C-alpha cells in the first residue's frame, strides 16, 4: 500500500525557515517523480514544486522560486521541502504527492511525459505568523 | 496560467441519483485532466486521469468525459461514500492548476 506521511509543520515567524519531510513507503520511491501541493485555509489547491525521480530536475511555481527548495533522499525514501523567507501567504496545508504520468509521442519532438498526482499524503499544516 | 473553472461550488443529491460535475479550462488542454476526491480526514484520492481513464480502484459508477476545454465527471447511482469534495486539475502545462472544487452534499 502506498503511504506518504508528511512531518515538520507548525508555527513559524515571517522571514524564518521551515523544512518539511515526507516519508514514502509501499512503492519504489526512486522510480517516481514527486511533488508538493498546498492549500491555504478556505482556498484552492496549488501546485508548489516537483522533483524528478533522480533529483536532477526541479520545477517551482513562480511565487516560491528562490525561496523554496524541493529535494529528495532516495536511500531514505524521503521527500523534502525547504521553505526560506516565509511569508504569511505561505500559510497552508502542504501535501506530498507521488506523480503518475501519461505519455504522448510527437513525430518531430519525440515522447512527452504528462504528470498528475496519483497518491497524496494527509498533509501538514504550516502557519506563518508573528 | 491555465484557469480551471468548476461552475458549481455545491451540489446536493440523494443516494441512488446520478450527478455530473463540470470543469472548464481557459485554453485547450487536450485530455490532460484529472479528477480528485477528498473526504474529511482522508487523503486526496485520484479518481480519473487523461480525462476519462479510471484510476485503479475507482468504482465503475464514476466516469469522465471531455476534451479540449470542457470536461465532466459523472457519478451514476450515488453511494453514501461518494459525498465529499471533487476537484479537477489540468496537467497539460506548468503550473499545474486546479479547479476551486465542487462539494457534493447529501440532500
Amino acid at each position: 500500500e502506498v503511504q506518504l506521511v508528511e512531518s515538520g509543520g507548525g508555527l513559524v515567524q515571517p522571514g524564518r525557515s521551515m523544512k518539511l519531510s515526507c516519508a514514502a513507503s509501499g512503492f519504489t520511491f526512486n522510480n517516481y517523480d514527486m511533488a508538493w501541493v498546498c492549500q491555504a485555509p478556505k482556498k484552492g489547491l496549488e501546485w508548489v514544486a516537483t522533483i524528478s525521480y533522480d533529483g536532477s530536475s526541479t520545477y517551482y511555481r513562480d511565487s516560491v522560486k528562490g525561496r523554496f527548495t524541493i529535494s529528495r533522499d532516495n536511500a531514505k525514501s524521503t521527500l523534502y521541502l525547504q521553505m526560506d523567507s516565509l511569508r504569511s501567504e505561505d500559510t497552508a496545508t502542504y501535501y506530498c504527492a507521488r506523480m503518475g504520468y501519461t505519455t504522448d509521442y510527437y513525430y518531430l519532438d519525440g515522447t512527452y511525459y504528462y504528470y498528475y498526482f496519483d497518491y497524496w499524503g494527509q498533509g501538514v499544516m504550516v502557519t506563518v505568523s508573528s | 496560467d491555465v484557469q480551471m473553472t468548476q461552475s458549481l461550488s455545491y451540489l446536493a443529491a440523494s443516494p441512488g441519483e446520478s450527478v455530473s460535475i463540470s470543469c472548464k479550462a481557459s485554453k485547450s488542454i487536450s485530455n490532460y485532466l484529472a479528477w480528485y476526491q477528498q473526504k474529511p480526514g482522508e487523503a486526496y484520492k485520484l479518481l480519473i486521469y487523461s480525462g476519462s481513464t479510471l484510476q485503479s480502484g475507482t468504482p465503475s459508477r464514476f466516469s469522465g468525459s471531455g476534451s479540449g476545454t470542457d470536461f465532466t465527471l459523472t457519478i451514476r447511482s450515488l453511494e453514501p461514500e461518494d459525498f465529499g469534495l471533487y476537484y479537477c486539475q489540468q496537467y497539460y502545462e506548468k503550473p499545474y492548476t486546479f479547479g476551486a472544487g465542487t462539494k457534493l452534499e447529501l440532500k
Side-chain angles (χ1 to χ4, degrees):
Chain A
E1 179 193 5
V2 172
Q3 288 203 325
L4 299 167
V5 180
E6 302 95 339
S7 61
L11 176 64
V12 61
Q13 292 180 329
R16 304 297 290 265
S17 298
M18 178 171 276
K19 187 171 187 176
L20 305 182
S21 300
C22 170
S25 61
F27 64 102
T28 304
F29 184 69
N30 58 13
N31 283 354
Y32 289 87
D33 291 18
M34 298 292 295
W36 290 96
V37 178
C38 73
Q39 185 168 29
K42 309 286 190 197
K43 295 285 181 68
L45 290 159
E46 283 192 340
W47 166 75
V48 176
T50 293
I51 187 167
S52 60
Y53 67 97
D54 60 358
S56 63
S57 298
T58 57
Y59 307 91
Y60 300 90
R61 68 178 302 107
D62 286 347
S63 61
V64 307
K65 273 181 192 172
R67 299 190 301 122
F68 289 13
T69 303
I70 188 171
S71 62
R72 63 192 296 159
D73 185 335
N74 284 346
K76 295 182 178 179
S77 296
T78 302
L79 177 72
Y80 302 101
L81 185 67
Q82 175 69 43
M83 302 184 292
D84 298 324
S85 304
L86 280 161
R87 306 167 180 167
S88 58
E89 55 264 35
D90 296 321
T91 294
T93 298
Y94 285 77
Y95 299 94
C96 164
R98 193 183 84 168
M99 302 198 80
Y101 63 85
T102 55
T103 59
D104 261 328
Y105 177 78
Y106 299 90
Y107 178 70
L108 292 177
D109 298 326
T111 300
Y112 275 60
Y113 290 77
Y114 295 87
Y115 293 89
Y116 50 87
F117 310 106
D118 65 355
Y119 287 93
W120 297 60
Q122 295 264 24
V124 62
M125 184 69 198
V126 173
T127 302
V128 184
S129 174
S130 54
Chain B
D1 300 359
V2 180
Q3 306 300 317
M4 304 301 293
T5 302
Q6 291 180 243
S7 54
L8 283 179
S9 299
Y10 297 94
L11 181 57
S14 301
E17 291 183 352
S18 295
V19 297
S20 292
I21 297 171
S22 66
C23 175
K24 188 175 182 69
S26 60
K27 63 179 269 189
S28 177
I29 57 169
S30 184
N31 67 338
Y32 300 114
L33 190 283
W35 289 98
Y36 303 92
Q37 177 194 61
Q38 192 203 25
K39 294 192 282 188
E42 297 185 15
Y44 280 88
K45 181 181 175 184
L46 172 69
L47 297 173
I48 286 170
Y49 61 93
S50 295
S52 61
T53 302
L54 265 61
Q55 169 72 342
S56 174
T58 300
S60 59
R61 63 181 179 273
F62 288 85
S63 64
S65 63
S67 184
T69 60
D70 293 287
F71 300 86
T72 303
L73 172 69
T74 299
I75 313 172
R76 281 186 299 105
S77 191
L78 280 165
E79 296 285 343
E81 61 266 28
D82 298 336
F83 293 93
L85 275 159
Y86 291 85
Y87 294 87
C88 62
Q89 177 239 331
Q90 67 81 19
Y91 55 99
Y92 176 71
E93 63 181 35
K94 297 184 188 69
Y96 306 121
T97 48
F98 294 82
T102 297
K103 188 173 185 180
L104 179 58
E105 296 181 316
L106 185 61
K107 188 188 288 181

